[in-house]
Amino acid sequence: MRLVTFTPRPHGPQHLGLVRDGKEVVDLKGIGGEPPFDPADMISLVAAGAKARPHVQEMPAHPAFFSKAPTSVNGPYADVPAHKGVTEKLDWEVELGLIIGKGGCNIREADALSHIFGYTVVNDVSARDVQRQHGQQWFKGKSLDGHCPMGPWIATADEIANPQELDIECRVNGVINQKSNTRQMYFKIPRFLAELSAGLTLEPGDIIFSG
């Protein structure tokens, strides 16, 4: 097991990460559950010793899915509504958006990329306090009006040689707060499209996004 301390956002707080395959870092803050250590403090993990290791090794076996309401869609350069009185803790996350071209159910991983019409950029804005108020279910906290900026365009699939090698960044009020590459995605595109479409029909025009 290889562990690192890193900052997923420039000048942001530090996180602990598990190095996978010698080149990818899995953020331990996002593996769920209640770890017996502070996921932002390496000394805390060291002190937890053997109690920490089983938790660290339990990576999610399946991707988690949630939906955002159509009324959350916003323009790429539009103001994001603050919704004062509803939320005081807005968060953001840049994500790669996939536009389904050929619909289907039970899509095989080997065929998944052929179902994609194109790609775009999505900002998954979340009201974290609303999310907590509703039992940590994600729909309400992620679906407030205007909380899904997208665009500014769709790049058709033929223009993207490898969707798992794309630089991606998020700017908040002009400041770069997140910068990464889609190679860091824990579940790759074919895997999560196959799992999402298992018993559930995807239709042309569906927009699916993942960090």
Side-chain angles (χ1 to χ4, degrees), residues 25-208:
V25 176
V26 178
D27 191 340
L28 296 186
K29 205 167 185 179
I31 63 175
E34 293 294 333
F37 60 90
D38 180 352
D41 183 1
M42 184 67 77
I43 299 300
S44 173
L45 188 153
V46 171
K51 293 186 296 183
R53 285 196 293 274
H55 186 95
V56 169
Q57 292 172 337
E58 289 174 5
M59 295 293 104
H62 302 278
F65 299 112
F66 62 87
S67 57
K68 289 177 82 83
T71 50
S72 69
V73 173
N74 203 345
Y77 307 115
D79 292 337
V80 174
H83 293 296
K84 294 293 185 182
V86 177
T87 179
E88 299 298 329
K89 293 186 177 180
L90 289 184
D91 202 358
W92 37 260
E93 186 173 1
V94 62
E95 310 229 344
L96 176 66
L98 322 174
I99 293 85
I100 297 298
K102 181 175 65 175
C105 182
N106 300 321
I107 297 170
R108 299 187 311 151
E109 287 191 40
D111 300 328
L113 295 183
S114 69
H115 287 259
I116 298 174
F117 172 79
Y119 302 87
T120 191
V121 181
V122 179
N123 187 347
D124 178 23
V125 179
S126 304
R128 297 301 186 193
D129 45 357
V130 175
Q131 183 176 330
R132 287 194 298 271
Q133 290 165 6
H134 292 268
Q136 294 292 358
Q137 61 86 16
W138 294 334
F139 174 73
K140 174 69 176 180
K142 289 180 174 287
S143 288
L144 299 186
D145 290 355
H147 280 193
C148 187
M150 289 194 294
W153 52 67
I154 295 172
T156 54
D158 61 294
E159 288 198 352
I160 306 298
N162 183 356
Q164 302 290 179
E165 285 288 341
L166 298 174
D167 291 327
I168 191 166
E169 68 181 34
C170 176
R171 299 179 184 179
V172 180
N173 297 327
V175 177
I176 297 176
N177 284 334
Q178 191 178 19
K179 188 170 185 176
S180 188
N181 188 286
T182 55
R183 76 172 71 95
Q184 301 294 336
M185 291 166 58
Y186 185 75
F187 293 106
K188 306 307 183 188
I189 293 169
R191 169 71 185 282
F192 73 71
L193 276 186
E195 288 221 18
L196 180 60
S197 69
L200 188 158
T201 299
L202 303 181
E203 299 184 337
D206 283 346
I207 302 174
I208 301 163

